[in-house]
Structures are given as C-alpha cells and as structure tokens.
Amino acid sequence: MGKGSFIKQNYQEKSMTEIRSNWTKEEIADIYHMPLLELVYHAAGVHRKHHDPREVQVSSLLSIKTGGCVEDCGYCSQAARYHTNVKVHKLLSSEEVAIAADNAKAGGASRMCLGAAWREVRDNKDFDKVLDMVKGINAKGMEVCCTLGMVTEQQAQKLADAGLYAYNHNIDTSEEFYGEVITTRSYDDRLETLKNVRKAGLTVCSGGIIGMGESAEDRIGMLLTLANLPVHPESVPINALVPVEGTPLEKMEFVKALDMVRMVATTRVVMPGSVVRLSAGRLQMSEEAQALCFLAGAGSIFAGDKLLTTPNPAFNEDMDLFKTLGLKPKAAFKDKKNTSLESVSNLTN
Ligand code: SAM
Ligand code: DTB
Ligand code: SF4
C-alpha cells in the first residue's frame, strides 16, 4: 500500500480508532509520516474517543537503588562500566521510600514508580524489602509501579500479591536498532519479562527512547512491536534521550521537540486505549511543545524535580502548566480492570 493511502482510506473511519494488534509496518509508517498538524488533529480525535482529555496521570519516580548496574545500556547513567557522575547508593529503607511517597502525593502524584539499577530481580532480602515498600505505598492509596529489570512469572506474582499496580520494562527501540545500544540482554529477554508481568495480572508499562541515533523506521518498528502485543501495554512511556556525560550516547543532540510530538501522536493512534506518557526530556521542552504533546494524546507525565538520576520540572511548575492548559491530575485506580491474559484474550483476536 502506497504512502498515505492507508490514511486516505481509513481516516475518520472506525478502523482508525479501534484497538487492534495486527498492524503492518506500512500502516504505522503512513501514520508517522502524516503532515504533523494533520497527525496531531487525528491523534487528538482518537484520544478524545478513549480518554478524558482534561485528565493527566501524574507519576513520581524514585530511584530506590542507584548505580553499579552490570548491564551496558548505552544511554544509562547507572551502568557501572561507564564513568558518570551518578552517586551510587544501595537499597533505600522502607521509611525513606514512604517519606518520598508522602511528598509525591502532596505534590499531586497518584502513582509512585520505584526504579532499581538491577539487571534482574533476585529472590533475596532486597526483593522482600521492595515487596514491603509496595505494600506500604499501596496502603497510602497510591498506585505503585516498579521497574527492577527482568522478572520471572513467580516474582511478578509476588509483586502483584503485594499490591503492585504496574510493572515498567521498556523495549527501548526497534529490534533492529536494539543491538546498537544494548548487548548484555536481548530484545527477546525484554519481551519475555513483559509476558511474565502480563501473566501475573499486573498492568504493563512499556515504551522506549527516541534520540539515540535511530532512524524513523526504528521508531516505527518499536511502535509496531508494542502495538502488536496480544494486549497493548496500559502505559507507553515515550522518553527523549537525556544524554548523560560518560555514557556512549553522551554526545547525542537533544531530540527536536516536534519529533516528540510526532512520536506521541503516532503512539496515541496505534494504541488508542493505552495511556501515553510524556516521559524523560520534558525539561528540554518548552511549555508550548508539551502542550502540543497533551493535545496529541499524552495522558501521563513523570513529575517531581528528579527522574531517576537526572533533573525534571518541579511539581509546582507542572501544576502551573496544568492550570494554564486546563488539565487536572487523574485520581489513582481510575483505570483498574482485570488485565490477566486469560481475562483479556477475547479482546485480542
Ligand atoms: N534497571 C531497570 C531496567 O533497565 O529495566 C529499570 C530502570 S531503567 C533506568 C528504566 C528505563 O529508563 C530504561 O529502559 C530506559 O528506557 C529509560 N532511561 C534510562 N536512562 C535514560 C536516559 N538517559 N534518557 C532517557 N531514558 C532513559
Ligand atoms: C521510563 O520509561 N522512563 C523513566 C521510567 N520509565 C523508569 C526513567 C527515565 C530515566 C531518565 C534518566 C535518569 O533520570 O536517569
Ligand atoms: Fe542497568 Fe537498567 Fe541502566 Fe540498563 S537501564 S544499565 S539495566 S539500570
């Protein structure tokens, strides 16, 4: 099918707003390459059909174990093999994490995302401590998300039993470009973790990064993988690379804000039911560019003055922006539904 023909044939038809997992690369490419304002207009329509456009989910990130990671992810400040300025620390205590969650809640966050610089979860005392942290934050009425590296189905189940709401594990980029950025674990390893998370009935948060030197085709390829999962991730974070000194990607130029808008809009169109998170890189984006991302379907942000190790706009700045744009933070647990594979399998064919 020629470029643009998919759009012409299906524009404004039901097929452009339905949730499906049988996308072709050409279809997604046609959407990605639409004239930007047409794309934003269309994405805004899809967004309104599936979501309340005034609500934005606010997540707060906390690095509970920082640095010293054995992996070689080329973007990451926390890989032990790169000489970055990151301050390494072992696992925080449950008390420290509880204080951070209280502050995040007071700032307007309904979700707390705990990140650890681990390759994978191990069945040890540290994992037990994380399970305690999850229970503690859940009891505060906040959604809890963890991003701890690879997990088995049993570990995902333990997290689910502790009250975890979501598990974040990004595929980062296309299968073809992946090996340029990471060599210590495979694309299939990542997909396996996503499967394990899904089987445990947790909601899945999975997206990637743009600005690592990938082509438009790679961005499209990443969306193809996510949009053709049997069940779409409930959250899809779109990160702009934050180039970190000492990493192999330190010299990458910051991605153009309008490329973020295009990526957010395309993600919105191909996974209409998912919440698209405008993730790392907002500090480098103007308020106007962020506004375009919200119009194009971003329904979530990370708020608070730190991401995991790099800076981010402060809570009050984001709340001011929300006020200007007429947006409001979304309450916790509004999207709660049973998302185990069996319960949703009838939606996927
Ligand atoms: N260690 C765990 C893992 O790799 O799954 C969890 C933490 S890891 C930092 C989570 C995600 O953050 C990565 O998969 C990547 O998509 C994103 N990320 C990390 N460093 C980044 C950077 N410098 N710029 C943008 N995104 C980044
Ligand atoms: C995601 O997609 N982005 C977040 C979260 N999931 C874990 C991480 C962004 C990290 C940005 C670089 C840093 O602060 O170290
Ligand atoms: Fe380790 Fe995660 Fe960083 Fe990769 S992204 S180096 S796995 S902390």
Side-chain angles (χ1 to χ4, degrees):
M1 191 180 286
K3 195 172 157 189
S5 52
F6 174 76
I7 296 301
K8 281 187 205 117
Q9 282 170 17
N10 296 284
Y11 195 61
Q12 290 174 342
E13 285 179 20
K14 182 173 158 278
S15 60
M16 286 297 282
T17 58
E18 76 184 354
I19 297 171
R20 62 192 185 94
S21 295
N22 59 354
W23 291 93
T24 65
K25 200 166 185 181
E26 290 68 33
E27 286 172 339
I28 299 183
D30 274 358
I31 295 165
Y32 182 88
H33 290 296
M34 276 173 87
L36 185 60
L37 293 181
E38 287 297 306
L39 172 58
V40 169
Y41 176 77
H42 178 59
V46 174
H47 190 49
R48 275 153 178 73
K49 197 146 182 168
H50 290 267
H51 306 266
D52 178 345
R54 291 196 57 194
E55 287 191 337
V56 175
Q57 186 227 24
V58 179
S59 283
S60 173
L61 262 179
L62 177 66
S63 183
I64 56 172
K65 185 266 173 184
T66 307
C69 183
V70 295
E71 293 290 279
D72 72 347
C73 311
Y75 46 75
C76 188
S77 61
Q78 306 197 62
R81 68 190 71 202
Y82 308 137
H83 300 287
T84 67
N85 292 325
V86 106
K87 204 168 152 237
V88 176
H89 69 75
K90 58 181 179 37
L91 194 65
L92 298 180
S93 67
S94 294
E95 293 71 32
E96 287 170 298
V97 172
I99 293 169
D102 287 337
N103 290 338
K105 194 173 177 186
S110 60
R111 179 180 291 195
M112 193 74 196
C113 180
L114 308 179
W118 289 335
R119 174 177 199 271
E120 77 248 304
V121 169
R122 303 234 168 117
D123 295 297
N124 58 18
K125 283 199 179 133
D126 275 355
F127 184 41
D128 293 339
K129 278 194 205 163
V130 173
L131 295 173
D132 270 350
M133 293 172 192
V134 171
K135 281 182 202 147
I137 304 172
N138 198 35
K140 293 177 192 296
M142 293 180 89
E143 296 170 11
V144 198
C145 174
C146 277
T147 181
L148 313 169
M150 295 184 283
V151 282
T152 63
E153 188 184 339
Q154 290 72 25
Q155 290 162 341
Q157 193 57 60
K158 280 189 185 171
L159 286 162
D161 294 343
L164 193 76
Y165 188 86
Y167 195 84
N168 166 250
H169 198 67
N170 290 341
I171 60 166
D172 281 346
T173 187
S174 68
E175 187 164 13
E176 293 77 16
F177 190 69
Y178 183 87
E180 303 287 319
V181 184
I182 301 142
T183 67
T184 48
R185 67 180 140 166
S186 70
Y187 210 66
D188 280 348
D189 288 337
R190 300 222 177 208
L191 295 174
E192 188 60 32
T193 285
L194 295 183
K195 249 190 224 158
N196 292 338
V197 169
R198 187 56 88 194
K199 281 192 212 148
L202 290 164
T203 67
V204 172
C205 172
S206 188
I209 309 176
I210 65 168
M212 301 193 292
E214 75 288 340
S215 62
E217 200 181 341
D218 291 313
R219 294 176 187 175
I220 291 159
M222 175 179 107
L223 294 181
L224 182 72
T225 300
L226 293 170
N228 282 346
L229 288 172
V231 183
H232 293 165
E234 283 73 11
S235 294
V236 183
I238 301 297
N239 296 274
L241 175 75
V242 181
V244 176
E245 216 183 307
T247 64
L249 297 180
E250 65 179 353
K251 294 275 188 304
M252 293 308 299
E253 251 179 52
F254 196 77
V255 74
K256 283 192 191 132
L258 292 181
D259 281 1
M260 279 296 272
V261 175
R262 185 176 289 285
M263 193 64 184
V264 163
T266 310
T267 308
R268 158 48 55 247
V269 174
V270 299
M271 290 172 274
S274 306
V275 174
V276 182
R277 184 172 302 123
L278 177 57
S279 303
R282 285 194 305 114
L283 206 55
Q284 286 79 2
M285 292 174 76
S286 67
E287 290 193 340
E288 293 81 357
Q290 292 184 59
L292 263 182
C293 286
F294 291 125
L295 181 64
S300 171
I301 56 166
F302 286 121
D305 55 13
K306 206 168 171 196
L307 290 164
L308 289 172
T309 65
T310 63
N312 192 49
F315 273 121
N316 57 349
E317 286 173 35
D318 282 331
M319 291 310 126
D320 286 349
L321 179 61
F322 276 23
K323 205 167 164 200
T324 308
L325 300 179
L327 300 172
K328 53 187 181 201
K330 189 174 181 174
F333 304 109
K334 273 190 91 171
D335 295 329
K336 188 92 183 130
K337 51 187 175 231
N338 184 357
T339 52
S340 70
L341 264 184
E342 298 86 85
S343 72
V344 286
S345 60
N346 57 336
L347 298 177
T348 60
N349 300 320

